[in-house]
Every structure is written in C-alpha cells, then in structure tokens.
Amino acid sequence: MSSGTVASEGADEAPIGAVQQTGKSAKKLHGMIFIGLAGLLLIAPFVLYPVFLMKVLCFALFASAFSLLLGYAGLLSFGHAAYFGMASYIAAHAAKVWGFTPELAILSGTLVGTLLGVVFGWLAIKRQGIYFAMITLALSQMVFFFCVQAKFTGGEDGIQAVPRGHLFGLIDLANDRVLYFVVAAIFLFGMIAIYRIIHSPFGQVMKAIRDNEPRAVSLGYRVNQYKLALFVLSTALAGLAGATKAIVFQLASLTDVHWSMSGEVVLMTLVGGLGTVFGPMVGAAVIVTMQNYLATLGAWVLVVQGFIFVACVLAFREGIVGLFAKRLKQPL
Amino acid sequence: MRKTATALAVAGLLMGAGTAQAQISVKLGVLNDRSGVYSDLGGEGSVVAARMAVEDFKAESKGIKVEIVSADHQNKPDIGASITRKWYDQDNVDVILDVPTSSVALAVAQITKEKNKVHLNSGAATSDLTGPACTANTLHWAYDTVQLANVTGGAMVRQGGDSWYFLTADYAFGHALERDTSAVVKKNGGKVIGTVRTPFPSSDFSSFLLQAQASKAKVIGLANAGGDTVNAIKQASEFGITQGGQKLGGLLVFVNDIKALGLKVAQGLNFSETFYWDYNDSTRAWSKRFMGHMNRAPNMTNAGVYSSVLHYLRGVEATKSKDPAKVIGWMKANPFEDAVFGKGYVREDGRVMIDAFLLEVKKPEESKGEWDLLKVVTKVPADQAFRPMSEGNCPLVKKN
C-alpha cells in the first residue's frame, strides 16, 4: 500500500531527529489554533444549526482518530467503521435498554471500541501494508455481519428512539444547544488528547517507526507494542465519536458499521490533510457539509463529492490544511 | 407625494384583504432516496405525485398555500434524521412525505412525534410504524410487510399454491417476512415444506434454487428484498422454475423491478402491490398524467404520496388549521376516496386501509405495451390484507 509514502510526503517532512523539537513558534501557533477553535465552538451554535454542528463534531473526532493511525504511524486501517459503529450500537443499547445516563452510555461504547481495538489490533499488527489494511477490512466486515444478525441491533431497522437522558442525572440534554456544548466538550477533549499523543515522546517514537521501522527496531524499540498501543488509542477515540453520535441522533444503524463508512473517513482525512492534527476535522466538516446542504441536489451529491475529491488530489495533494502548513512552513 | 402615499395605503389595504383569505400556508417535505437503490421507486416520482395532489386539490383557490421541498436521505438514518430536524426546526416544514428505508422512517417518525408535526409515510415497509413504534403523528399509507405477506401468502394458497418453500435472506427483515408469510400460509390451510437461509446480500442463488426446485413445493417464496430479489428471480428464470410448473412468490417487489428485469425473466412471478396503474379508468387517467412528467409508470409508493397529500389537504381545509392533532384527528375520522386507491380510511393506529392486489407478471406475448406488465389475479379487501389493529401492539390503541 502506498500509505507509507503518502504519509512521508505529508506536512512534516523533517527527519526523525528534527521532529522532536516542534519549534516554539509552532507550539504557540497550535495553542492559538486551539483557543480559536474553542472560541469558534462557543459561537457556532448561535449561527449554525446545532444538530448539524454536532454531526460535524462527531465525524471530525472520528476522522482525527483515524488519521492518528494513518498519519502518524502510516497504518492504513480500512475497518474503522467497526469501532465507530459498534460503539454507537453499545451506547444506544446501554442508554435505551439498560437505562444508563448518557455519559455512562458513551463510556461503555468507548470501552467496547477499545476492547475491539485490542483484539483486532493484536491480529492485524502482525502484518504490514496492504495485508494490514485487508485484515482490518475483513474483521470490520465480520462486525458488520454480526450487527446484521444480532438481536439487539435490530437488523435493518437499527436501534431507534434512544433517549438522550440527563447528563450525570442532572442536566437535561433534550435541548439541542445544551447537548451541543456537551458534544463540543467531548470533541475538544478528544482533540487535545490526540494532540498530546502526537507530541509526546510516545508520538515521536511512532513517527520514527513510520519513517524507518528497521532503524527503530535497531534502536531497541518494541515496534509492535507501540503500533498496538496507537491502534487501540485510535479505536478508543473512534468509539468515543461513535458513541456520542448515537446519543446525538438517538439512533444507531447499519450505516455506521458499513464498509463505506470506513471509506468515507479515509476521504475526510485525505481532503483535510494527512499527517496534520487539524486536517481531518476540516475534511470531515467539508464532507458532512456537502452531504447535508447538497441533500436537495439528489443524485448529484455523490458526483459533487467525487469531483471535489478528484480536484483535491490533483490540485493540493497535501489536503486543505496540508496546503496551509506548507505555506506557513509550520506543521499544523 | 401624498397621492402615492394614499395609493400605497389603499393598495396595502387591498392586499391585506386579499391575503386575509389565503391564510394557511403549508410546507411539505418529500424525503426519500434520490441517488441510491430506491431512487427509482420514490425519488422524483414522489415529488411529482405530491405536486399532482396539490394541483388536483386546487389548494390555491381554497386559501391554502402549499410549498413542496425535497431532499435525499441517501438511505442513511443519520442523514435522514438531521434533515428532518432541520426541516422542522429551521425551515418550518409541516409534513414529511414518502421516506423509504425502514430505519430512516422509524427515525423520522420519532422526531416527528417529538416536534409535534406530521409524517405521512408511503415508502417504508416496516409494519412497526403502526405497531410498537406507532405515534399519533404518523400515518402509514401504501403498504407494509404484514400486508405483503398476507396477500401474497393467503391469496396464493387460495389459488391452489398450498405448499411453500422459502428462500429467506438471513437477517431480521428476511426472517420477519418468512415468519409472517408462513403463518398466513398455514392459516389458509397450506403447508411449508422447507426453508433455506441465504446469506445477505447474495449474488449466487443457484444451489438454494435447486434445493427449492427439488422440494417439489408449489410455491417458492422469496423472503428478501432489493438486489437479492432481483438476483433470485433472474437465476430462477435460468433454471426454468416457473416453466417447470412451480410458482415464484415475491414478498417485496415493485412494478419498476419487473420493468427492469423484463417480462421474459420475470414472467409468472406473483407479488402484491396496493396500486396498479392499469387497474381501472381512473388509475389509468392518473397514471397517464404521471407518465407525462416522469416517463415511467407510477408504483404504490408514488400513489401513496398522492393520496396522502390529498387527504391531508382536505383535513387542513376542513379544520382550517394545520395543528397536527386536529388535522390527523379529522383524517382518521373521515374516510377518503381518490383516483389511485379508490375508497379507503385511516385507522386509529395510523394504518391506512386500502384494498390490495395479488399481481402476476404477464408472459411476453401477452403484453401490449411498454408498461403492460402485470395482470391482477385477485383483489384482497383491506381488512383481510392488513394486520388487525388488536395484534399490532400499538400503544395508541391500548389506551382506548
């Protein structure tokens, strides 16, 4: 698979040694972006429709989780829908049938995403490149068929009418705006976690492994353990996004475990910018906005989506944010 | 200057008087699949049907201003749910129409209840909409799984097809179809010889069809939908199953599927719809107008949208409001009659009661025109076609 080369063509082309010091100016810039992002999240629901924003946030987190794996470890997982969708089913089931409060439902969904990540990651990590991608795809298809068959998922109908409930048993989430701020908080938490992972010593080792695995091995790193750890972190965050989505839309359905969802997240990441922290969320925003606002165009949605993807690949291969990063000469 | 001012004031008054009559404005949203597998069933055709209903009702002259919007839910419940919320919250849509794909329909029904609007469904198959998931804000037009099973199962047994073999798609929907149909077959004195579960989705049905052929059952029931059904029918024709004297019973087939398959492949297939364009003079006249816009024959989904919009507008006119409780109350209290379904009425649980047909695909030599595809084998009255209200477990009914 070309994932390795794509990754190294990304924004930070610096060799392993140089990456360690994400210059002070870059750190400052990132801090400002995070503050700007928080400000934007505060104002947004008063300008745009909150339910739409929540959807964007869920997918932004999902795409960022996916890109953590592809962008920083060069591992192309083609089955991320499994963790996203399964977590969404579990959260929906927990909230509806077991009567969990929303935060516990989301946590249980995330936990399932994590556990699934441990098992699937442990299996898939044993192979590299396209074999890795194929194993993840095969495993996620197994999850899909499990969801088609299992009683609790409701098959084609999905789990419907999931109660939003009261956060901590106190705050009523029925109001879209209240729920929005909860989702925004979850999103920010996820993004900061991703940022920390990337810029921690652990993240540096991951980049080293991505860029030159044999050298990392020769330096004494247990490469597979690192990969597995990152894989599980990625699936946990994907699970968090999926579980949150179930509470937002009050439903969980086969769409979320379908392989096309795994494809969509790859698309989001590539459009936004591979190997950037802020790219996937931009990509997710672009794709989700198209799906929502172009819905009236009918069949043309997919054509427009394809056209944008082609334009993106032809004109700016680094993705939208990758382009900015290149201009600014700073990793974003 | 003063002159213009007075003129403006007078004009304003006149306009005020003019609008005093046209006070109610209604916004209808057609939400369906416009790009995927079901786009040929609903899609733009349902928008056309809704427009025809508004035209026929002469809404403008009755003081009701109707606006129609449409969107593509891409068969994804989350996209459907967010469009629905946006339509209700921001775009002041009053009624959502059509909505094929059961998972999306159930989601729309829930939000419609929460926002207290109206959902008139004619695209989804699930009988849960008027069963456990029924709400006071949703009415289910056209068809449902129980009716399909009842008509195809019951009528075919009565026509002599008293031994069945099922090809069942191995997931909840297929199982439900098989369960409902076998119950009907047995109730009517038939027997189920065997059943085979096919993986979902599946492109190769040959071994299953051979098993079915070898079982010597008189009817092979296809408890599946969409691409599975089309594949199974194609391969059945290759094995010459209908020519061999066995009948093929499709449990979820639309007239458009037959057109796509062609008569040579589909001939002899039996299935049920609640509307066939060539049934009588009024359906023919209506369908001709529809074909003028769409270049294809209408199916029961399109007819359902037409009929539901018409009945809804009657309700708005009669109650002089668009308060969901009032209008739906009126719609349930008053039976209707229209060009597509003839006489019908709305039941307490939201089920719309119309007669259903058992149809058979014509042989190529019997067909006289491009859309002359089916013959009506028998007509099943509404109360025999649909599930009795007492068996639906609809919470609305329990209260009474």
Side-chain angles (χ1 to χ4, degrees), chain A:
Chain A
M1 202 77 216
S2 61
S3 65
T5 44
V6 175
S8 53
E9 270 171 22
D12 42 36
E13 288 163 314
I16 303 163
V19 181
Q20 237 136 356
Q21 327 125 13
T22 307
K24 266 203 180 123
S25 61
K27 256 188 193 153
K28 219 176 189 176
L29 180 68
H30 291 167
M32 274 163 56
I33 293 177
F34 267 113
I35 291 169
L37 194 64
L40 208 63
L41 286 176
L42 272 178
I43 311 165
F46 300 98
V47 184
L48 288 162
Y49 184 51
V51 176
F52 162 71
L53 285 171
M54 286 189 274
K55 185 174 182 189
V56 171
L57 291 182
C58 290
F59 277 103
L61 184 57
F62 181 36
S64 302
F66 168 80
S67 135
L68 179 64
L69 197 58
L70 178 57
Y72 294 92
L75 295 173
L76 174 64
S77 156
F78 206 74
H80 254 50
Y83 322 108
F84 183 72
M86 202 60 206
S88 140
Y89 271 124
I90 298 295
H93 188 74
K96 190 179 178 185
V97 181
W98 299 336
F100 279 25
T101 49
E103 73 282 356
L104 286 179
I106 292 176
L107 273 181
S108 49
T110 313
L111 188 69
V112 168
T114 316
L115 291 177
L116 218 53
V118 172
V119 179
F120 288 7
W122 178 75
L123 277 166
I125 287 301
K126 297 179 186 297
R127 291 286 173 270
Q128 283 175 323
I130 191 160
Y131 303 103
F132 173 82
M134 287 299 117
I135 291 172
T136 52
L137 174 62
L139 290 170
S140 89
Q141 281 302 90
M142 283 168 60
V143 171
F144 174 78
F145 284 102
F146 169 75
C147 292
V148 169
Q149 296 281 353
K151 265 262 149 34
F152 84 97
T153 60
E156 286 275 277
D157 294 347
I159 304 179
Q160 302 274 354
V162 176
R164 282 184 179 174
H166 293 70
L167 187 70
F168 307 120
L170 294 171
I171 310 160
D172 189 2
L173 295 184
N175 184 317
D176 284 343
R177 228 164 253 173
V178 176
L179 182 61
Y180 167 82
F181 285 112
V182 175
V183 175
I186 292 174
F187 168 75
L188 260 185
F189 161 78
M191 287 313 297
I192 292 171
I194 288 172
Y195 185 80
R196 276 311 308 151
I197 293 168
I198 292 170
H199 293 88
S200 66
F202 169 77
Q204 305 303 333
V205 176
M206 279 323 303
K207 282 183 226 164
I209 294 171
R210 173 192 77 192
D211 292 337
N212 194 335
E213 195 171 326
R215 190 191 280 182
V217 174
S218 74
L219 285 172
Y221 289 112
R222 297 183 181 209
V223 173
N224 275 358
Q225 287 180 6
Y226 274 91
K227 281 188 188 169
L228 180 59
L230 193 71
F231 192 93
V232 172
L233 284 169
S234 170
T235 60
L237 287 164
L240 178 63
T244 311
K245 184 173 173 258
I247 300 295
V248 170
F249 284 106
Q250 302 177 274
L251 59 86
S253 72
L254 286 177
T255 326
D256 296 341
V257 278
H258 196 248
W259 63 265
S260 62
M261 181 62 77
S262 301
E264 219 160 79
V265 77
V266 178
L267 180 68
M268 287 171 184
T269 306
L270 291 182
V271 168
L274 188 65
T276 60
V277 181
F278 304 101
M281 67 169 96
V282 175
V286 170
I287 301 288
V288 173
T289 309
M290 283 198 309
Q291 280 177 352
N292 258 274
Y293 285 91
L294 300 184
T296 39
L297 287 184
W300 290 98
V301 178
L302 299 175
V303 178
V304 174
Q305 203 167 315
F307 182 75
I308 289 182
F309 183 59
V310 170
C312 189
V313 170
L314 286 178
F316 40 98
R317 216 177 277 179
E318 309 85 355
I320 299 167
V321 171
L323 198 69
F324 280 109
K326 216 175 180 183
R327 284 276 156 80
L328 291 171
K329 298 203 168 69
Q330 296 275 17
L332 283 176

Side-chain angles (χ1 to χ4, degrees), chain B residues 31 51 61 64 103 118 202 223 227 231 282 315 354 358 375:
Chain B
L31 181 63
R51 244 185 254 132
S61 68
I64 304 173
S103 55
V118 178
S202 188
N231 284 333
S282 69
I354 44 183
L358 179 69
K375 55 187 172 208

Side-chain angles (χ1 to χ4, degrees), chain B residues 72-296:
Chain B
D72 184 1
H73 65 42
Q74 298 159 41
N75 294 321
K76 293 182 183 170
D78 54 341
I79 293 185
S82 50
I83 295 171
T84 303
R85 281 179 186 279
K86 186 165 162 288
W87 269 359
Y88 286 155
D89 285 350
Q90 292 196 318
D91 302 342
N92 298 316
V93 168
D94 301 296
V95 183
I96 290 188
L97 301 164
D98 203 359
V99 196
T101 310
S102 300
S103 55
V104 188
L106 290 166
V108 170
Q110 276 306 321
I111 301 168
T112 306
K113 180 186 167 197
E114 188 190 315
K115 306 278 180 194
N116 192 26
K117 301 277 185 168
V118 178
H119 174 36
L120 306 176
N121 190 298
S122 51
T126 179
S127 56
D128 279 3
L129 274 179
T130 53
C134 78
T135 76
N137 299 67
T138 297
L139 304 181
H140 196 186
W141 239 266
Y143 71 107
D144 67 28
T145 46
V146 176
Q147 165 258 324
L148 295 172
N150 274 344
V151 175
T152 315
M156 282 186 84
V157 172
R158 270 176 263 130
Q159 304 276 325
D162 55 3
S163 57
W164 281 61
Y165 192 95
F166 283 102
L167 251 62
T168 307
D170 199 3
Y171 67 113
F173 174 76
H175 297 175
L177 270 181
E178 183 204 309
R179 186 192 58 228
D180 292 349
T181 316
S182 5
V184 176
V185 167
K186 283 174 195 153
K187 208 173 88 188
N188 281 281
K191 57 178 188 291
V192 177
I193 296 182
T195 160
V196 58
R197 298 274 158 95
T198 66
F200 166 80
S202 188
S203 52
D204 181 12
F205 286 90
S206 47
S207 66
F208 310 121
L209 284 166
L210 286 174
Q211 284 179 45
Q213 204 169 21
S215 76
K216 301 267 186 297
K218 288 183 185 160
V219 180
I220 300 174
L222 303 177
N224 49 22
D228 277 5
T229 310
V230 168
N231 284 333
I233 294 171
K234 272 187 195 161
Q235 287 164 25
S237 112
E238 280 160 23
F239 286 111
I241 283 186
T242 47
Q243 283 89 337
Q246 281 174 310
K247 289 204 166 204
L248 216 50
L251 292 174
L252 185 52
V253 183
F254 290 85
V255 64
N256 314 68
D257 298 326
I258 304 303
K259 176 72 184 161
L261 281 162
L263 290 180
K264 197 162 169 280
V265 171
Q267 57 181 306
L269 174 76
N270 287 85
F271 65 97
S272 171
E273 279 204 79
T274 51
F275 170 82
Y276 180 51
W277 72 271
D278 201 13
Y279 176 64
N280 60 26
D281 286 339
S282 69
T283 58
R284 269 188 291 272
W286 184 83
S287 303
K288 210 174 159 196
R289 270 174 65 209
F290 181 91
M291 284 190 226
H293 294 288
M294 275 308 287
N295 215 5
R296 69 161 173 83

